[in-house]
Amino acid sequence: MSHPTMLRIAISRNVRWNAFERYSSTASSSPLVKYNELVTRGELRKDSHQQSIVADLDRLCTRLNGYAANGSSSTSSASIFNKLFSQAPAQSTTAPRGLYLHGSVGTGKTMLMDMFFSGVQVEKKRRAHFGAFMVDVHKRFKVVKDDFVQSSGEDRLRNYDALGQVADGITSEAHLLCFDEFQVTDISNAMILRGLFTRLFVNGVIVVATSNRPPDDLYMNGLQRASFLPFIDVLKEHCDVSSLNSGIDHRIVDSGGDPDVGSVYILTDGNGQSSSSKADELFRVLCDEEGAVLEPRTLQYFGRQLPFQRACGGVVDVTYEEMCIEALAAMDYLEMCQHFHTVVLRGVPEIGLGEKGAARFVKFIDTLYDNHVRLVMTADNPPNRLFNKDTIKLSSKDKAALEMLRDDLGLRESDLKTSLFTGEEELFSYLRAESRIHHMLTGSYWSASLENNALLSARQSKEQCVM
């Protein structure tokens, strides 16, 4: 009979990785071969610095082909013996070093990760946005803790290594972990990363990650950062570090400097009538391509319901208010991407740092981009002025909450200048979103998204056949 903890983790696993299975469905050419092909066809601008990073990824692919983590949990007698009688996790044989790529927005981090992940020949490999991964880690931790409390009658974990159990569960699913947007902003994450990743590395798990920051700048000025610093040493011990910064934003340069404003990015004219009619016309064209009926649709998943008033096949028409002001979460955006290949988003205002809806808008754009969903937008400002990055807009309620938090934590006024309170991490995410929007509005992005369109159509046809 399966252990209840492992059964519950196994059930959640199938959901957790669904958004990333498209990356691992089939193997493709090595990163260097793929990169050179794109340059030859004129789809990429040759960048010698970027090419050297691709060569590093290519060599790592070769070293990892056929790799399996020797230290992962299993049902073998040796593993059981070690878990029962050893005071520390069994040491695995020396594993290849991973890679940590950092660079500013538009330097090609996502593209290079696409090339690496599709080309590397590792059976148990997984890719995830780092924030989503850590949400899952906390869920796993709760499952382990609840089961321990229920079975032991203890109300505390005491000497029970729950984090080690979580790491072992992850190892059983993935010997290669690839992370997009590796960043640390939450103290609850910062305090567990050393223990979690030390166990993963001991188990032989390889980590390849992209980030806006070099390792030494992770969780910069965060609360209790001194307790976080040992994790940086652990990370650098097991991963080579490379910078992608070459001073070029490829998403803007390769699109000719400006996105397709006026075609799929429509500026409002003050009263909104002109932009609305243009968006209506484009929506009708997209619906005609679908050959489906325009109707309301409600997505149902995990006990949640997400209603849409205007949906037609793989196209959906929504507003900024519905997507970013309403209480939606990352899982809602991911579910949308499983059903729609094109989103018409209306009424995007100028967005201030810390303003209600800002974080959801960034998450929404990130999710659409990561899933190759096409975007049509109507907005008050051009893409490079979507965000008002000069001011932090806080309501009186937010200001009072900030003061209360400062008092509760015993912080001085000067402590509010940390990245937790100044919005430094948010500024990174805003710049990334602007760069991604530039790319999402280009013909090359829309052409590449046709593959996602075909995959969704095939999936919807299969679902209809099942029904």
Side-chain angles (χ1 to χ4, degrees):
M1 181 176 180
S2 300
H3 190 280
T5 299
M6 298 308 295
L7 179 60
R8 290 164 65 186
I9 288 178
I11 292 173
S12 67
R13 179 187 64 208
N14 294 329
V15 174
R16 181 175 59 263
W17 299 114
N18 269 353
F20 309 103
E21 286 303 316
R22 60 187 177 84
Y23 290 113
S24 59
S25 56
T26 57
S28 65
S29 305
S30 72
L32 193 56
V33 170
K34 182 66 173 177
Y35 181 84
N36 289 334
E37 287 176 352
L38 293 174
V39 171
T40 300
R41 294 202 301 263
E43 296 180 29
L44 280 183
R45 184 186 300 267
K46 187 172 183 179
D47 180 339
S48 58
H49 181 70
Q50 192 179 66
Q51 191 174 32
S52 68
I53 303 297
V54 176
D56 290 339
L57 288 169
D58 202 75
R59 285 188 288 270
L60 182 57
C61 262
T62 300
R63 290 197 298 269
L64 290 180
N65 282 343
Y67 177 77
N70 295 327
S72 59
S73 297
S74 69
T75 56
S76 70
S77 58
S79 297
I80 294 173
F81 181 86
N82 285 329
K83 294 182 80 171
L84 288 176
F85 298 103
S86 178
Q87 295 298 315
Q91 296 290 329
S92 62
T93 57
T94 302
R97 292 171 62 83
L99 187 62
Y100 182 101
L101 298 176
H102 65 90
S104 55
V105 295
T107 51
K109 297 186 295 292
T110 300
M111 176 194 71
L112 296 184
M113 183 67 87
D114 286 346
M115 292 179 180
F116 171 76
F117 193 80
S118 63
V120 66
Q121 300 292 312
V122 175
E123 181 180 357
K124 291 188 174 183
K125 59 179 180 177
R126 293 292 185 268
R127 179 180 179 182
H129 187 282
F130 187 70
F133 172 77
M134 290 308 299
V135 168
D136 178 68
V137 166
H138 287 287
K139 288 180 180 179
R140 289 170 178 260
F141 188 85
K142 187 177 186 304
V143 169
V144 172
K145 177 183 176 182
D146 289 349
D147 283 353
F148 174 78
V149 170
Q150 183 178 1
S151 62
S152 68
E154 299 282 347
D155 59 353
R156 293 184 179 181
L157 294 178
R158 299 184 186 279
N159 295 324
Y160 184 67
D161 185 13
L163 197 58
Q165 294 295 316
V166 170
D168 289 346
I170 294 171
T171 305
S172 69
E173 301 168 18
H175 298 168
L176 170 64
L177 286 174
C178 295
F179 296 120
D180 294 289
E181 307 297 343
F182 197 111
Q183 61 177 341
V184 185
T185 58
D186 190 300
I187 189 172
S188 64
N189 290 341
M191 295 302 102
I192 67 172
L193 284 178
R194 180 190 181 189
L196 175 67
F197 276 81
T198 296
R199 182 63 163 254
L200 289 173
F201 289 136
V202 165
N203 286 348
V205 173
I206 308 298
V207 170
V208 176
T210 66
S211 177
N212 289 323
R213 293 175 174 269
D216 289 332
D217 288 351
L218 288 172
Y219 199 50
M220 183 63 72
N221 299 320
L223 297 172
Q224 299 183 32
R225 188 170 188 262
S227 299
F228 171 79
L229 293 178
F231 165 70
I232 296 177
D233 294 332
V234 170
L235 184 63
K236 292 195 294 186
E237 181 183 347
H238 292 87
C239 294
D240 293 324
V241 179
S242 294
S243 171
L244 271 167
N245 287 330
S246 60
I248 301 174
D249 187 334
H250 289 274
R251 289 196 286 250
I252 295 178
V253 172
D254 293 340
S255 66
D258 291 300
D260 195 357
V261 176
S263 178
V264 294
Y265 190 98
I266 305 166
L267 291 173
T268 57
D269 58 359
N271 58 25
Q273 294 301 316
S274 177
S275 62
S276 179
S277 61
K278 290 179 181 177
D280 288 343
E281 180 181 356
L282 188 50
F283 183 64
R284 282 194 296 270
V285 171
L286 292 168
C287 288
D288 289 342
E289 293 178 353
E290 291 298 290
V293 177
L294 175 61
E295 60 186 355
R297 189 185 308 174
T298 298
L299 305 183
Q300 299 184 12
Y301 51 100
F302 306 123
R304 296 172 67 89
Q305 292 190 341
L306 185 58
F308 299 98
Q309 296 304 312
R310 290 164 55 82
C312 180
V315 181
V316 65
D317 189 358
V318 296
T319 67
Y320 177 84
E321 180 89 16
E322 293 168 339
M323 293 293 99
C324 305
I325 304 300
E326 297 295 328
L328 299 185
M331 66 181 297
D332 299 312
Y333 302 146
L334 280 171
E335 187 67 21
M336 282 184 66
C337 294
Q338 302 300 311
H339 295 269
F340 302 110
H341 56 71
T342 305
V343 171
V344 178
L345 178 65
R346 303 178 188 244
V348 179
E350 180 182 78
I351 304 170
L353 186 63
E355 190 173 73
K356 183 178 181 181
R360 287 197 185 99
F361 178 73
V362 169
K363 176 59 68 176
F364 185 51
I365 294 298
D366 282 346
T367 307
L368 296 183
Y369 186 84
D370 289 340
N371 288 275
H372 301 302
V373 174
R374 300 186 298 185
L375 176 68
V376 176
M377 255 177 80
T378 72
D380 290 346
N381 290 339
N384 62 337
R385 291 196 288 110
L386 265 178
F387 298 98
N388 182 347
K389 296 178 279 291
D390 297 326
T391 60
I392 300 178
K393 299 182 179 180
L394 292 177
S395 66
S396 57
K397 182 179 179 180
D398 290 334
K399 289 179 181 177
L402 181 59
E403 290 296 323
M404 184 179 298
L405 176 60
R406 190 189 73 177
D407 293 340
D408 290 344
L409 296 175
L411 299 176
R412 301 180 300 275
E413 186 72 28
S414 60
D415 291 327
L416 293 185
K417 295 181 180 179
T418 68
S419 60
L420 177 67
F421 297 102
T422 60
E424 185 178 342
E425 292 293 346
E426 286 85 347
L427 186 57
F428 268 113
S429 67
Y430 287 14
L431 293 172
R432 182 182 69 241
E434 282 186 352
S435 178
R436 287 183 164 183
I437 289 171
H438 270 273
H439 187 212
M440 294 172 79
L441 303 177
T442 62
S444 60
Y445 178 88
W446 275 62
S447 297
S449 296
L450 290 176
E451 179 182 352
N452 188 49
N453 186 339
L455 290 172
L456 276 179
S457 298
R459 176 186 172 185
Q460 291 170 355
S461 298
K462 183 178 179 180
E463 289 175 346
Q464 291 174 357
C465 291
V466 172
M467 294 174 62

